[in-house]
Amino acid sequence: METLTEFKDIINKVRKEYNQEKNPRIILIDKFIVFCVFILIACIGYSFIMPRAPLNSLLAAVFLAMGEGSLAMSLRLRLTEDEFKGECKTKAFVHFVLASILMCTVALYYMP
Amino acid sequence: MEKQKICPKQAYGGLKSFAISMKPSLQIMILLLVWLLGFFIRIFSVIRFESIIHEYDPWFNYRVTKVLVEHGPYKFWNWYDHESWHPLGRPVGPTVYPGLMATAGLFHWCAHAIGFPVDIRNVCVFIAPIFSGFCAAATYLFTKECTHREGPGLFAAIFIAIVPSYISRSVAGSYDNEGVSIFALVLVFYLWIKSVNTGSILWSMACSLSYFYMVAAWGGYSFIINIIPIYVLGLIFIKKFNMRVYIAYSVFYVMGSLLAMQIQFVNLAVVKSSEHLASHGVFFIVQGYVLVQWFKAKLTQEQFEKYSKLILTYSTIGFAMVFAYASLTGVTRWSGRSMTLLDPSYAKKYIPIIASVSEHQPSSWATFYTDVNVLVIFMPVGLYFCYIKPTYGMLFCALYGILSVYFACVMVRLMLVFAPACCVLAGIGTSEVITRLIKSIKQAFIEEVQSEEQQIEEEKQEKITENDQKKESKKGSNQQKNSQSAKSISKYPFIASTVLLVVVAYSLCTYVFHSTYISAEAYSSPSIIMSARRENGEKFLIDDYREAYDWIRQNTDPADKIMSWWDYGYQITGMANRTVLADGNTWNNTHIATIGKAFASTEEEGYKIARHLDADYVLIIFGGLSFYSGDDVSKFIWMIKIAQGVYPEIVESNYFSNGQYRIDNQASDTMKKSLMFRLAYHRFNEVSMGFQHPRGFDTVRNMAVDSTPIKLKYFTEVYTTERWMLRIYKVNEDPNRDDKLERSIL
């Protein structure tokens, strides 16, 4: 029980800290990452219920979700982390867009 | 008086600034010369013989490229080859790595577009030497990225341009996957280190695109997809993992896996084979690690320790269960070749076809010296410097070096993967050693110059009296600076460093001589044409292979099928343009074992199997007359072993007499009755080798063949080449059938 209340405290603390994040872009990127993770879990869960027949479609969806999540996470890190303080932020967005285009093209080619 | 003496320090300073301004053009010139060197050292066989495709596998690649160039990419991608593996055929699209053919096709198309109508054969022959130059450039970039200095890069580039083990697989005419894929390998590593150093998404995308090219080019891509996750895991363990590595790996992993699935040969192996398991696992570990680090910042120390212990135990148990389930139930499995790498004795016990290939034998120490020569001494030096001054790139080089040494010891063929690691590490080692030596020598000269300068300064001081104090302080600070710099460089005695420099330079010269000699003598043989010398020193060519294949092409029906051992399948389809029963793809073990059984059985049994397999001609290689030791009689043991694996009625020990492999009067009965023996030695007892040997003396086995004349009932000899190297027999029609009768009925 102690651990449970402790856990709840920690979650609340984290939530409070996160609410101080003001940059709308960062919040949007975070929501996108959560969305990608949700899609990933939904695809895998669905594949357990229904037959996995066109396996390459499943793989395309799974890898695309993982990939877009990773790219969004990379973008977020490039915008917020101290390591990348001196780097140009517009470049990060442009790289993200180019990488997403390539990834979507490849995944959609593999899907059917 | 001052103007008469030119201050040596100023002259030295002027020279240094000139050298620094020439640096970029010097580097480019050196790289261009390295490219030319790599190209010219590989074209010995073209000069000696002609521009011809070598060996066995390249003939298949050449045939596929011809289809690509003549009929376009769609026909190539969807081609079903009916001319090999006779009743079964072979779907070429999903069973071939298309990178090499696509590259050659692209070069061919570009050349034709510019206005050079180059024949596709010449593109195929010369593509490997051209890519060796690209590989040297990639190695230069890779080493420069790892060490942030150009010196090691230039050394590594020249080492890899002439390293014999790379030359052996990329000589002009050796149109095989490795010629192109070693360049791709080094390029992937260069772009990987670049993305780890910069943490940029764009470089990671470039890395995954070059990884896609590597997957398209060679099966050795599984080395990359395992070494990069091991590297990332290692970084986590030594607490050097930062956000750049995270970005680099997550983007590379997802993009790389997606792209690898586009190659038909790989397709679902990305998720189903055990070779990719490490990359999946490390991806999730990395995500978990970053999450944990993020949580750690939010929690207190004891809380974090409590939770981390809990989660760690559960996740380890869960992971172990998943791994056990996957391995035991066979959800994922290792391919046969990967099992051979992990357990070197696996192939000998279970897969004789893999064990029979001479390239798959373990390497000996002599192989290391022949293939990599002096670099094997400088490699540990470079490894030492990787640990002393570690950067992310140097740690990766060290890991690559150690892993590739293990694989090079398991299989001779993988010496090729070891070669770039050796060149990079040796380049680093040589450059560091030479830099230190030259600095010591320079230091000795500067001290001499310094003592001269001090004399000049003292003379000046005696004459000028106004700025006494300033000059003294200057001299003092100068002296301090020089003594400080003397302390930072470890100074070796002048004589020792000069001698050592001469020794290093000499060993590098021996490396160049050795590489040239080895590539000219040992690795430039097309193996389809051979040359030898008569007693008077005159050189003559042995062209029996092409003689036989041309005979087949001109004297047999285009629908005829040739039965031979699988080694020669590619050459027969490539040069003789006839259907074969088995070729170098060796994908169907039972089919090959059936052919082995045909050769190992009696003539009647062999005839029945040949008719069952629908063969019209049988081709064997026989080296007894021409000292050619790689013939079918030598390979016969392997044929028996492979046949025994599928048909247990064939017993290997029956073919030996008293444990010895004999072909003379003391040969065992089974051996004398076997089809291979009868076909190889038919009419051979009439041949005289000279007065010092009896009739029918086999020069390879060093004994005279059994003296009873061999009469063939079911086969007819139709052609034997000039030196008896290739012998072609026609499979007789069924004895009770009359051709003319059949035609009159129809």
Side-chain angles (χ1 to χ4, degrees):
Chain A
M1 282 309 292
E2 257 184 44
T3 45
L4 215 66
T5 44
E6 236 181 68
F7 206 58
K8 274 193 189 158
D9 286 336
I10 294 169
I11 297 285
N12 283 333
K13 185 171 142 210
V14 167
R15 204 181 270 181
K16 237 188 258 176
E17 265 189 50
Y18 184 71
N19 284 336
Q20 290 170 1
E21 180 68 60
K22 290 285 177 255
N23 192 345
R25 286 204 175 116
I26 303 292
I27 296 177
L28 190 62
I29 292 174
D30 287 338
K31 288 185 180 162
F32 182 62
I33 294 175
V34 171
F35 173 67
C36 286
V37 172
F38 170 71
I39 293 280
L40 180 71
I41 297 176
C43 282
I44 295 180
Y46 186 75
S47 76
F48 281 119
I49 308 172
M50 302 294 272
R52 259 178 230 147
L55 188 60
N56 48 354
S57 309
L58 173 67
L59 285 175
V62 161
F63 274 103
L64 189 58
M66 278 202 294
E68 288 291 338
S70 306
L71 281 176
M73 187 70 179
S74 311
L75 177 64
R76 188 190 201 281
L77 288 170
R78 278 199 85 92
L79 294 176
T80 53
E81 283 289 313
D82 294 330
E83 261 183 85
F84 303 111
K85 237 191 181 113
E87 316 263 349
C88 174
K89 297 201 192 242
T90 326
K91 244 197 204 172
F93 277 102
V94 170
H95 292 174
F96 171 75
V97 168
L98 288 173
S100 296
I101 290 175
L102 184 60
M103 192 175 285
C104 288
T105 315
V106 174
L108 290 172
Y109 171 75
Y110 189 61
M111 194 176 61
Chain B
M1 273 191 284
E2 288 170 34
K3 285 176 190 171
Q4 283 176 4
K5 285 192 179 177
I6 301 170
C7 182
K9 204 169 183 183
Q10 279 181 351
Y12 171 70
L15 196 66
K16 193 171 176 182
S17 58
F18 173 71
I20 289 176
S21 68
M22 285 295 286
K23 204 157 87 155
S25 44
L26 260 180
Q27 285 166 13
I28 293 180
M29 204 173 73
I30 290 176
L31 282 176
L32 274 175
L33 285 174
V34 162
W35 192 315
L36 286 175
L37 178 68
F39 185 84
F40 282 122
I41 203 174
R42 284 166 170 81
I43 59 174
F44 278 106
S45 64
V46 173
I47 295 172
R48 272 201 198 126
F49 304 106
E50 56 184 89
S51 154
I52 189 175
I53 308 279
H54 294 187
E55 304 247 325
Y56 306 113
D57 281 9
W59 280 100
F60 172 68
N61 296 331
Y62 174 56
R63 197 164 140 251
V64 174
T65 318
K66 269 199 295 191
V67 167
L68 168 66
V69 160
E70 283 163 22
H71 302 281
Y74 288 108
K75 175 77 198 293
F76 155 69
W77 205 236
N78 298 318
W79 181 32
Y80 196 92
D81 184 14
H82 291 282
E83 282 200 6
S84 55
W85 298 92
H86 166 60
L88 312 159
R90 174 188 174 174
V92 171
T95 57
V96 86
Y97 282 108
L100 176 69
M101 298 84 179
T103 316
L106 187 70
F107 271 59
H108 182 257
W109 180 81
C110 285
H112 278 244
I114 302 176
F116 290 110
V118 180
D119 182 42
I120 185 68
R121 195 195 77 230
N122 284 324
V123 174
C124 295
V125 163
F126 287 106
I127 201 169
I130 293 175
F131 268 80
S132 73
F134 287 134
C135 185
T139 315
Y140 163 74
L141 290 170
F142 174 48
T143 320
K144 189 171 132 185
E145 193 60 36
C146 289
T147 56
H148 305 290
R149 286 168 50 220
E150 292 93 356
L154 292 171
F155 271 114
I158 190 173
F159 286 157
I160 201 167
I162 54 178
V163 68
S165 99
Y166 182 32
I167 290 180
S168 70
R169 302 294 302 197
S170 69
V171 83
S174 174
Y175 181 56
D176 210 355
N177 294 349
E178 289 92 345
V180 168
S181 58
I182 298 297
F183 159 68
L185 182 87
V186 181
L187 191 68
V188 172
F189 288 153
Y190 160 61
L191 291 170
W192 167 248
I193 296 298
K194 189 87 186 178
S195 47
V196 164
N197 281 340
T198 58
S200 152
I201 297 177
L202 209 65
W203 284 111
S204 311
M205 293 303 287
C207 183
S208 44
L209 283 172
S210 65
Y211 172 67
F212 169 61
Y213 182 55
M214 177 72 188
V215 173
W218 194 31
Y221 74 89
S222 51
F223 180 69
I224 300 183
I225 201 64
N226 281 300
I227 194 177
I228 288 183
I230 292 175
Y231 174 66
V232 171
L233 207 58
L235 284 182
I236 293 180
F237 275 124
I238 62 174
K239 299 198 190 329
K240 288 261 182 199
F241 184 83
N242 63 6
M243 287 304 133
R244 291 170 203 257
V245 182
Y246 171 78
I247 293 176
Y249 184 67
S250 2
V251 177
F252 167 76
Y253 163 72
V254 179
M255 207 53 222
S257 299
L258 258 181
L259 285 169
M261 287 195 275
Q262 309 306 313
I263 306 291
Q264 281 189 42
F265 199 5
V266 175
N267 209 10
L268 295 174
V270 173
V271 288
K272 283 198 177 158
S273 86
S274 303
E275 281 140 12
H276 287 88
L277 210 56
S279 61
H280 303 312
V282 169
F283 178 69
F284 290 114
I285 289 175
V286 155
Q287 307 296 333
Y289 181 77
V290 168
L291 203 66
V292 162
Q293 292 295 96
W294 183 72
F295 256 121
K296 195 172 179 181
K298 315 280 180 194
L299 301 175
T300 62
Q301 187 65 14
E302 325 115 11
Q303 279 176 337
F304 176 71
E305 275 182 13
K306 189 168 65 167
Y307 282 118
S308 67
K309 275 205 192 109
L310 212 66
I311 293 177
L312 204 64
T313 35
Y314 282 139
S315 57
T316 321
I317 295 173
F319 192 65
M321 275 169 47
V322 165
F323 191 74
Y325 172 74
S327 308
L328 291 174
T329 58
V331 166
T332 61
R333 59 176 70 111
W334 295 94
S335 72
R337 294 195 181 179
S338 309
M339 280 301 291
T340 322
L341 291 175
L342 294 174
D343 173 16
S345 60
Y346 180 81
K348 233 182 181 167
K349 286 186 252 164
Y350 300 110
I351 317 179
I353 270 198
I354 293 182
S356 73
V357 182
S358 66
E359 294 175 318
H360 292 181
Q361 307 307 317
S363 340
S364 61
W365 171 236
T367 328
F368 274 91
Y369 184 73
T370 316
D371 273 356
V372 175
N373 206 15
V374 156
L375 304 185
V376 81
I377 301 175
F378 286 112
M379 190 192 139
V381 179
L383 210 60
Y384 167 75
F385 284 114
C386 281
Y387 290 125
I388 295 295
K389 309 183 186 173
T391 65
Y392 284 97
M394 304 274 258
L395 286 175
F396 183 78
C397 285
L399 180 68
Y400 177 29
I402 294 173
L403 279 181
S404 55
V405 165
Y406 169 71
F407 288 123
C409 295
V410 171
M411 266 195 204
V412 173
R413 189 178 181 179
L414 295 177
M415 283 289 295
L416 185 60
V417 175
F418 170 61
C422 192
C423 294
V424 168
L425 289 170
I428 295 174
T430 322
S431 171
E432 292 283 338
V433 163
I434 288 185
T435 315
R436 278 167 167 67
L437 293 176
I438 289 185
K439 273 200 180 131
S440 302
I441 295 177
K442 240 181 9 185
Q443 193 66 12
F445 272 124
I446 285 178
E447 277 185 1
E448 266 191 53
V449 165
Q450 241 190 339
S451 59
E452 269 189 41
E453 276 195 348
Q454 275 188 8
Q455 283 180 11
I456 299 173
E457 291 263 347
E458 276 164 14
E459 284 174 23
K460 265 195 214 167
Q461 273 209 321
E462 282 171 8
K463 291 190 181 152
I464 299 171
T465 51
E466 282 178 15
N467 300 324
D468 268 3
Q469 286 176 349
K470 279 191 191 169
K471 282 235 169 89
E472 260 189 55
S473 61
K474 250 197 205 171
K475 193 172 81 174
S477 65
N478 261 345
Q479 270 184 350
Q480 270 187 9
K481 237 198 282 178
N482 281 332
S483 62
Q484 272 177 8
S485 57
K487 278 179 196 162
S488 65
I489 309 167
S490 56
K491 199 175 65 127
Y492 307 118
F494 176 70
I495 303 276
S497 36
T498 331
V499 166
L500 202 55
L501 197 64
V502 168
V503 166
V504 170
Y506 176 72
S507 53
L508 294 182
C509 289
T510 44
Y511 171 64
V512 173
F513 281 121
H514 171 87
S515 301
T516 321
Y517 171 74
I518 287 287
S519 81
E521 297 300 319
Y523 289 142
S524 290
S525 154
S527 80
I528 196 164
I529 315 175
M530 286 150 276
S531 77
R533 283 187 192 276
R534 296 214 169 86
E535 279 120 8
N536 56 1
E538 182 195 334
K539 226 179 187 181
F540 63 97
L541 292 181
I542 301 177
D543 210 0
D544 283 37
Y545 276 91
R546 287 197 296 178
E547 188 189 332
Y549 296 140
D550 276 343
W551 185 92
I552 294 177
R553 189 165 48 201
Q554 291 165 9
N555 292 290
T556 61
D557 192 82
D560 281 340
K561 292 127 193 106
I562 318 279
M563 176 167 103
S564 71
W565 195 234
W566 59 264
D567 298 19
Y568 318 108
Y570 284 145
Q571 285 181 342
I572 295 174
T573 43
M575 276 187 270
N577 204 19
R578 293 285 177 272
T579 312
V580 289
L581 297 185
D583 63 19
N585 193 24
T586 64
W587 68 272
N588 190 333
N589 195 27
T590 316
H591 211 59
I592 294 179
T594 316
I595 297 176
K597 185 182 175 199
F599 282 127
S601 319
T602 58
E603 191 185 338
E604 187 174 348
E605 269 297 308
Y607 172 73
K608 279 194 198 143
I609 296 176
R611 293 295 293 165
H612 166 72
L613 290 171
D614 200 15
D616 296 297
Y617 289 88
V618 179
L619 177 118
I620 60 157
I621 312 289
F622 173 63
L625 189 69
S626 50
F627 297 89
Y628 183 63
S629 57
D631 64 349
D632 278 357
V633 182
S634 308
K635 289 181 193 164
F636 191 37
I637 293 294
W638 285 107
M639 295 186 197
I640 297 167
K641 276 195 173 100
I642 292 171
Q644 190 177 10
V646 179
Y647 301 101
E649 57 263 24
I650 297 182
V651 181
E652 191 182 338
S653 48
N654 287 348
Y655 294 84
F656 291 90
S657 54
N658 296 333
Q660 278 183 327
Y661 186 66
R662 299 193 76 89
I663 48 110
D664 55 3
N665 293 329
Q666 293 173 33
S668 66
D669 264 346
T670 332
M671 183 66 169
K672 281 190 212 167
K673 285 189 199 156
S674 68
L675 182 64
M676 173 55 74
F677 180 87
R678 295 174 75 80
L679 291 181
Y681 293 108
H682 175 62
R683 284 197 308 118
F684 190 60
N685 58 343
E686 300 160 16
V687 171
S688 167
M689 283 292 296
F691 53 83
Q692 66 263 44
H693 296 304
R695 277 185 182 271
F697 186 77
D698 186 335
T699 53
V700 177
R701 264 62 60 177
N702 273 328
M703 47 185 98
V705 77
D706 179 45
S707 49
T708 46
I710 297 172
K711 284 204 170 57
L712 294 171
K713 188 173 164 198
Y714 298 100
F715 297 86
T716 317
E717 181 184 0
V718 284
Y719 193 70
T720 298
T721 57
E722 187 184 335
R723 285 174 194 82
W724 288 55
M725 272 179 67
L726 276 86
R727 312 194 66 182
I728 307 174
Y729 294 85
K730 186 169 167 55
V731 178
N732 292 344
E733 300 285 343
D734 280 339
N736 287 333
R737 264 221 300 243
D738 186 18
D739 279 80
K740 298 185 192 120
L741 189 62
E742 194 176 39
R743 262 186 239 128
S744 69
I745 287 175
L746 293 167

